[in-house]
Amino acid sequence: DDKRDEIGGPYARYVLAVLVLVYVFNFLDRQILSILAERIKADLGATDAQLGFLYGTAFAVFYALFGLPLGRLADVWDRRKLISISLGFWSLMTALSGLARSFGQLAFARAGVAVGEASAAPSAYSLLSDYFPRARRATVLAIYSSGIYLGSGLGLFLGGLVVDRWDLAFAGGAAGGAPFGLKGWQAAFFIVGLPGIPLAFWVASLREPKRGMSDGIVSREEAKPLPAFLAELSSVIPPFTLWNLRRLGASANMILGNWIAAGALSGAAFLLTGALGNPAQWASLALGLYAAVSWGQSLTLRDRPSAALIFRTPSMIYSILGFAFLSFNGYGLGFWIAPFFARVHGMPLKQLGLIVGGAAALGGWIGVTCGGLLADRLRRKSSRGRLYVGMLNAALTIPLALAVVWIPNKTAALWLALPLYAASALWLGPGTSTIQDLVLPRMRAMASAAFLLVNTLIGLAMGPYTIGRLSMATGDLRLALSLALIAYVVALGFFHLAGRTLGNDEATQLERAKVAGEA
């Protein structure tokens, strides 16, 4: 083979660099909403709960719904083409967010961004796992995940800068003198969205590696990837979910279970709406959870080996839940820290974007990179090494977060934001690599999609919304941010459970897959 295909070689590092840039754009387009939140709230009349819904649930549910079929497509089709097409689409939808004139229109555009971004991470995890050996996987995936924090920081910086300059140029944001009557926050969406389109053509020029080559288990390529994608899509989009289950030969009991899940989730959404309001939040979450149930049933019927390794591996289940509860606060803090400094300390957006955005980018990059390196080092000493990094993430972030939100001195709080972002970012490399190592190569993108599904529904759908809701209930964003830290304690419990079986689950994965029918 050409040296460019050498595992872990120069071309592999080049691919990693390009994919990091893609992930930067992924979170740049996503995180800019945080710095724009106060302006959107004022212009569109949104509440804190609605802002949490817009950033979290509205994005998360569509990300989860399409992440599974797109993850399946990444397992059977050219991954670099899939990333390229998706990048072009979400960049266009980000730009179109700037045309929103109502909360509903903005929510629709953000849902489009979510659909586009859904395939990026599963495809990249799978691609990079083929380009790099297992011993370096946590480090590589941590470096890739650094794009989250670089993009988040850049989003805060650019959003604050654009709004500030726009306001200066057009009389304090008065729409009358601005081009097309755009407000500063609308212009920001255009400016960060459009550059992703030429980047999509660059991604399309990458080379697709042989699937499984880094593990010596080369998988067969799917002859008809589009039918595989459509079949996966029908497994999560109602009412096609029931048709799909019947097509796959589901038993009457399984069909009944699907109906019971739909009824129970609909009832729960109705009751929560009556008690807490925000019908869109609970209807969307119920839809996402129903899709997860239907997809799990579908996977069990059509791919027993994948279902066995994903759903019947205790350490897989507990690890996914543990990392999901870390992301509950990761997403929650990531969104609400900027509004916190704007409200409590009265920081202007330009200064806020520069300082907090810089802390998010630098701290996140340090944390995610060190987390990956530490996880690989500890993994060589113990099968639970990567879980220890997840535990460290929780143990360090709790006191740092409390200090940031309760210290009255603004300068001290800003200095502590850097280690806070670093500590809360430790888990990305360990989390993604743990999931990759518990399945066979042909299942990696699908397992990643399942990991991201739970991570999205618990972390992204509930984290920002819960903090927003607590802020409304208590009248104090600081108290809301503090109460949410309980999720870290839950994560520690799940990591303890995962560590009990992780070593044995890794050692027996091929044997268990063969028992389930793997060729």
Side-chain angles (χ1 to χ4, degrees):
D1 288 347
D2 194 293
K3 285 187 177 181
R4 288 177 297 182
D5 287 326
E6 180 185 355
I7 297 170
Y11 190 77
R13 294 193 290 272
Y14 165 71
V15 171
L16 174 60
V18 175
L19 292 180
V20 168
L21 185 59
V22 172
Y23 220 23
V24 167
F25 273 79
N26 186 302
F27 272 80
L28 167 61
D29 293 349
R30 191 185 307 188
Q31 192 64 26
I32 193 171
L33 191 64
S34 175
I35 194 74
L36 305 179
E38 296 298 291
R39 297 301 179 91
I40 293 172
K41 181 178 180 179
D43 286 343
L44 301 184
T47 66
D48 277 357
Q50 286 179 314
L51 289 174
F53 167 80
L54 187 65
Y55 177 81
T57 316
F59 186 97
V61 170
F62 285 91
Y63 188 92
L65 283 176
F66 285 86
L68 293 168
L70 288 170
R72 172 63 174 159
L73 189 58
D75 271 336
V76 298
W77 193 51
D78 191 314
R79 291 160 287 188
R80 45 91 193 241
K81 288 182 182 178
L82 182 55
I83 296 172
S84 175
I85 294 169
S86 299
L87 170 58
F89 180 75
W90 90 59
S91 298
L92 179 62
M93 294 304 294
T94 298
L96 291 178
S97 300
L99 298 178
R101 293 295 190 273
S102 69
F103 181 83
Q105 291 174 359
L106 184 56
F108 176 81
R110 300 307 292 173
V113 175
V115 172
E117 291 189 1
S119 73
S123 301
Y125 293 163
S126 176
L127 198 68
L128 292 171
S129 291
D130 283 334
Y131 267 121
F132 290 91
R134 178 185 293 236
R136 295 168 57 190
R137 203 163 283 159
T139 300
V140 168
L141 293 180
I143 292 172
Y144 167 72
S145 298
S146 69
I148 293 174
Y149 299 95
L150 296 174
S152 296
L154 191 59
L156 294 175
F157 170 72
L158 287 178
L161 181 65
V162 169
V163 171
D164 181 74
R165 295 293 176 86
W166 197 267
D167 286 354
L168 287 175
F170 301 107
F180 307 105
L182 295 176
K183 301 291 183 71
W185 63 268
Q186 294 171 311
F189 280 122
F190 279 106
I191 291 172
V192 303
L194 294 177
I197 296 176
L199 177 59
F201 290 96
W202 185 7
V203 175
S205 70
L206 299 176
R207 294 169 60 89
E208 176 78 0
K210 293 179 180 178
R211 201 179 301 271
M213 69 178 187
S214 66
D215 293 276
I217 309 175
V218 179
S219 303
R220 294 182 294 114
E221 294 298 321
E222 179 75 34
K224 298 179 179 179
L226 183 58
F229 166 72
L230 294 176
E232 200 73 30
L233 186 63
S234 69
S235 72
V236 295
I237 303 295
F240 301 108
T241 48
L242 290 169
W243 168 84
N244 180 64
L245 290 176
R246 290 192 177 95
R247 179 182 66 86
L248 293 172
S251 67
N253 286 337
M254 182 175 282
I255 297 291
L256 178 60
N258 189 275
W259 277 106
I260 291 173
L265 289 168
S266 298
F270 178 79
L271 292 174
L272 288 168
T273 298
L276 301 172
N278 298 104
Q281 163 72 18
W282 306 115
S284 299
L285 188 59
L287 175 62
L289 291 171
Y290 171 74
V293 171
S294 298
W295 175 76
Q297 291 179 317
S298 172
L299 186 65
T300 300
L301 291 170
R302 60 188 165 74
D303 190 348
R304 289 183 59 206
S306 291
L309 293 191
I310 295 173
F311 301 140
R312 300 175 189 172
T313 301
S315 60
M316 169 77 82
I317 296 170
Y318 293 134
S319 294
I320 287 176
L321 289 171
F323 289 114
F325 276 94
L326 291 185
S327 74
F328 180 95
N329 274 308
Y331 282 118
L333 292 169
F335 179 73
W336 285 109
I337 284 294
F340 163 78
F341 276 105
R343 294 183 196 180
V344 175
H345 295 290
M347 292 182 66
L349 291 188
K350 181 180 178 181
Q351 183 187 38
L352 180 62
L354 177 63
I355 298 176
V356 177
L362 179 59
W365 180 81
I366 292 172
V368 76
T369 304
C370 291
L373 290 168
L374 180 60
D376 277 341
R377 181 179 294 272
L378 294 177
R379 177 65 178 79
R380 289 193 286 270
K381 298 179 180 180
S382 168
S383 62
R384 296 187 292 270
R386 291 169 179 165
L387 299 181
Y388 292 150
V389 179
M391 294 178 179
L392 183 65
N393 187 128
L396 291 177
T397 306
I398 292 173
L400 285 168
L402 290 172
V404 167
V405 300
W406 288 105
I407 286 178
N409 184 280
K410 180 182 71 174
T411 302
L414 287 171
W415 275 108
L416 286 171
L418 179 67
L420 171 62
Y421 277 113
S424 65
L426 289 170
W427 70 274
L428 267 297
T432 52
S433 58
T434 296
I435 303 310
Q436 298 290 297
D437 288 349
L438 284 168
V439 295
L440 301 181
R442 75 168 185 85
M443 307 169 184
R444 282 178 182 151
M446 184 58 61
S448 297
F451 169 73
L452 291 171
L453 169 67
V454 179
N455 201 282
T456 299
L457 291 177
I458 292 177
L460 184 54
M462 291 305 297
Y465 173 82
T466 300
I467 293 174
R469 186 74 201 183
L470 288 170
S471 175
M472 292 176 62
T474 62
D476 189 343
L477 182 56
R478 291 176 299 179
L479 183 56
L481 288 164
S482 302
L483 291 173
L485 298 175
I486 295 171
Y488 282 130
V489 180
V490 178
L492 287 171
F494 282 123
F495 288 137
H496 171 70
L497 293 173
R500 293 163 60 182
T501 62
L502 181 63
N504 182 67
D505 290 342
E506 284 187 356
T508 62
Q509 63 171 274
L510 187 57
E511 176 186 343
R512 289 182 291 115
K514 287 180 178 178
V515 170
E518 183 72 5

